[in-house]
Amino acid sequence: MINKVHKLLIATAILAGISGCVSSQTDSSHSKGYETYIAQGEQFKHDHFTSTQGETIELKADRKLVILFATWCSDSQRALKEIKASALATDPTLQIIAIGRNEDGETLNKFNDEYQLPFPLVADPEREIYSQYANAGIPRLILLDENNKVVKTLIGEEPTIVDKLVWNK
């Protein structure tokens, strides 16, 4: 019995450590040790992705919003709902891509059956994409300009994160 309790405590601690669903900060250092590996003005490392529908997505709009999230994270769910309900979701000058950290295509497609997001989802089952931009903390929001340079990075744990999605420099 004690062994089971220890395993449960360890699993809980690990999940708490990788979840970005607790506190909020918006810069590259975070009180929980979250690190962001890309800064304002730096070139985004990807110029295209493959969606869960098998479509190639090229980053080519004037403004882009890359969302790194997890389907199980309540902060990710809230942020995606806020973005979907905002004017950003229908802005023709903005390209939005949501990348599921540690998520496969099947899981993301089931998630989207419920959420009906108006932008493509990209699977990142092994964290190959996510690990190039951060060590922990979700949702992560990366705002890019017309040249795919970073305008701003945010950890979207707080309510009304959509209000901080502004491309002014």
Side-chain angles (χ1 to χ4, degrees):
M1 181 65 151
I2 292 175
N3 194 21
K4 287 183 181 179
V5 171
H6 284 140
K7 287 180 182 178
L8 180 60
L9 289 173
I10 290 168
T12 302
I14 289 170
L15 286 175
I18 62 173
S19 170
C21 297
V22 180
S23 67
S24 63
Q25 291 261 337
T26 59
D27 63 1
S28 62
S29 63
H30 192 281
S31 62
K32 296 179 100 182
Y34 300 163
E35 294 179 28
T36 302
Y37 302 145
I38 193 163
Q40 182 177 357
E42 291 183 352
Q43 188 71 36
F44 194 69
K45 298 171 185 172
H46 290 80
D47 60 5
H48 68 281
F49 297 100
T50 302
S51 77
T52 58
Q53 304 301 310
E55 300 168 342
T56 298
I57 305 162
E58 293 186 33
L59 297 179
K60 58 184 178 183
D62 288 344
R63 297 176 305 141
K64 297 109 184 153
L65 172 60
V66 177
I67 307 161
L68 303 167
F69 78 103
T71 60
W72 54 264
C73 175
S74 60
D75 290 328
S76 291
Q77 294 166 3
R78 186 198 68 258
L80 290 168
K81 286 178 184 177
E82 285 180 17
I83 292 165
K84 177 184 174 184
S86 75
L88 296 172
T90 57
D91 183 338
T93 68
L94 175 64
Q95 183 178 21
I96 302 173
I97 298 108
I99 301 169
R101 182 187 83 176
N102 293 105
E103 306 277 5
D104 61 27
E106 182 179 344
T107 302
L108 290 174
N109 288 334
K110 286 180 183 176
F111 177 80
N112 204 30
D113 286 345
E114 177 182 347
Y115 282 79
Q116 296 295 304
L117 299 170
F119 39 83
L121 301 180
V122 174
D124 186 19
E126 302 298 324
R127 264 187 160 174
E128 292 173 4
I129 299 168
Y130 181 88
S131 64
Q132 294 183 49
Y133 300 104
N135 71 332
I138 48 172
R140 292 287 186 136
L141 298 102
I142 304 171
L143 289 68
L144 305 174
D145 68 12
E146 66 277 1
N147 298 312
N148 294 339
K149 290 194 177 179
V150 176
V151 173
K152 183 188 303 185
T153 64
L154 299 163
I155 299 175
E157 298 172 335
E158 65 218 52
T160 67
I161 192 65
V162 73
D163 294 340
K164 294 184 178 185
L165 299 178
V166 180
W167 277 256
N168 298 345
K169 295 182 181 181

